[in-house]
Amino acid sequence: MDDDFLSASGTLVTRRATTRIVESREVVPLAVADQIAFTGRLGSGALVTSHFRGGLSRATNFHMEINGSKGDLLLTSPVGYVGLGGFNLSGAQAGENLHPIPIPGDFGPDDNVLTGNVKKLYELLASDILSGTHQRPTFESAVKLHRLINAVEKSGGVSRDI
């Protein structure tokens, strides 16, 4: 498919030697990467670049920008994790300036995002079963994701075919 990754590369770095466990306040060694710079090429030819970092930023903790042939989207959040919400969405097409776009109602700020995400997956599964659609993530989706993660982890900064 055009939206599948054909190749990927990444650089993984550990910048902090320790981390603090919130509940106990204990400081323990940090033995995993807390910075990941990632680049990938999609089947459509589009380039994807990402930078994931551990810890908190005094700026924007989540920032996703999509520049397409028909316009631009900017998704930000004060929370640094994709699934935890608090999003602000802006966009622009043609000669427009970037302007706020309302978040769809089923992604409202009052929802418990963690249970809400599970609820939405079950709703997709039920819809697929009842109507014969194929909207939910599948085992194949998980395999593709893990192949991508593996390619990034093993790349050492060199692009790898997936």
Side-chain angles (χ1 to χ4, degrees):
M1 295 183 77
D2 286 347
D3 59 349
D4 286 344
F5 280 92
L6 297 179
S7 63
S9 67
T11 303
L12 287 71
V13 177
T14 303
R15 297 285 299 152
R16 289 186 302 266
T18 61
T19 189
R20 183 183 311 274
I21 297 174
V22 173
E23 295 83 4
S24 68
R25 313 269 311 144
E26 178 186 8
V27 175
V28 297
L30 183 64
V32 297
D34 61 354
Q35 301 271 330
I36 302 169
F38 162 82
T39 302
R41 186 172 51 91
L42 299 176
S44 66
L47 178 68
V48 175
T49 61
S50 297
H51 178 209
F52 298 92
R53 65 179 184 272
L56 297 173
S57 168
R58 285 176 281 286
T60 303
N61 278 298
F62 181 87
H63 179 109
M64 178 188 286
E65 193 170 324
I66 300 172
N67 308 112
S69 58
K70 295 182 180 179
D72 302 302
L73 291 172
L74 175 62
L75 184 65
T76 61
S77 173
V79 180
Y81 300 99
V82 176
L84 295 185
F87 292 114
N88 293 303
L89 179 63
S90 299
Q93 292 181 315
E96 297 178 333
N97 290 324
L98 208 59
H99 59 275
I101 298 174
I103 301 288
D106 60 343
F107 291 97
D110 297 329
D111 291 337
N112 178 320
V113 178
L114 295 176
T115 58
N117 287 341
V118 173
K119 175 186 170 208
K120 284 177 184 34
L121 286 170
Y122 275 113
E123 288 171 348
L124 286 174
L125 175 61
S127 174
D128 286 353
I129 290 170
L130 294 172
S131 63
T133 58
H134 299 285
Q135 298 178 16
R136 73 191 182 286
T138 63
F139 184 78
E140 182 180 276
S141 305
V143 169
K144 285 180 184 180
L145 176 60
H146 283 276
R147 283 187 179 143
L148 175 61
I149 292 169
N150 187 57
V152 170
E153 287 178 335
K154 294 192 178 314
S155 73
V158 176
S159 183
R160 305 280 183 195
D161 290 341
I162 297 177

